[in-house]
Amino acid sequence: MDLCGKLLVAMPGMGDPRFAHAVILVCAHTPEGAMGLIINKVLPDMSFGGLLEHLKIPLGEDSRKIAVHFGGPVERGRGFVLHSPDYAGGPATLRIEGGYGMTATLDVLEAMAQGQGPDKALLALGYSGWGPGQLEAEITRNDWLTVEPSEALIFAENDAAKWAGALRGMGIEPLSLSATSGRA
């Protein structure tokens, strides 16, 4: 099972509140584990300008407004920019199935602060990680649905609508899902 480039959509019965209604883009998936970024949970107390100020990166006149997301509970002080493939970050950019990139170096933030950088971007602090076989076990336990991503969904500005949008993209009405699962 290779989930790299796929979306994970949390089922309503997700036991971990950090992942309730989460939509995660899986950025890497190997036998050693998996890594992904939650794409629909904004950090309300953090702004792009505030982050740049903390990092001592000057904010240019053409800087874009971008929300800072909670990417997951692992390494919450580390930033990741999930972006469209037009940004060539060199060896520091991880290429993700489906035509996305992820860069975790300051150069992408410096470019974005000046109104440059990738055409589409999502900034996240922290990431979601799983050990060997852990994600597969969670999927078997019905914690997650897997979905083909779309650029429109990943980079949509309405983060609150991404969970329901991912489900509707699969033909599932969110209200029809149960918080409990059974076995036949």
Side-chain angles (χ1 to χ4, degrees):
M1 178 186 311
D2 183 8
L3 298 172
C4 188
K6 305 287 191 245
L7 289 177
L8 301 174
V9 181
M11 290 292 286
M14 172 60 70
D16 188 334
R18 298 172 297 181
F19 296 105
H21 291 103
V23 180
I24 300 175
L25 180 69
V26 178
C27 300
H29 187 218
T30 69
E32 289 79 43
M35 178 270 183
L37 298 174
I38 299 174
I39 64 166
N40 66 324
K41 293 186 181 266
V42 175
L43 290 169
D45 301 339
M46 180 70 66
S47 71
F48 184 54
L51 179 65
L52 293 176
E53 184 178 320
H54 175 75
L55 296 171
K56 298 180 177 33
I57 297 174
L59 187 63
E61 288 181 21
D62 295 329
S63 176
R64 63 174 106 174
K65 297 213 184 274
I66 184 168
V68 180
H69 291 76
F70 169 68
V74 182
E75 292 190 51
R76 293 191 58 188
R78 188 170 176 203
F80 300 88
V81 177
L82 178 64
H83 54 80
S84 50
D86 58 305
Y87 181 74
T93 297
L94 173 67
R95 299 291 166 201
I96 302 168
E97 285 292 323
Y100 307 100
M102 182 182 69
T103 304
T105 54
L106 289 178
D107 59 322
V108 69
L109 293 177
E110 291 165 345
M112 291 168 57
Q114 300 305 314
Q116 301 167 2
D119 181 45
K120 295 186 175 148
L122 184 143
L123 173 58
L125 292 181
Y127 68 91
S128 302
W130 296 265
Q134 184 182 1
L135 179 56
E136 294 83 352
E138 290 179 11
I139 291 170
T140 301
R141 197 173 56 225
N142 294 319
D143 289 344
W144 303 101
L145 293 174
T146 58
V147 182
E148 289 295 328
S150 73
E151 187 174 285
L153 180 75
I154 290 172
F155 298 114
E157 288 186 27
N158 186 353
D159 291 293
K162 289 179 181 179
W163 183 77
L167 291 170
R168 286 189 180 108
M170 296 175 64
I172 298 171
E173 183 55 43
L175 293 176
S176 70
L177 289 175
S178 172
T180 59
S181 63
R183 302 241 186 253

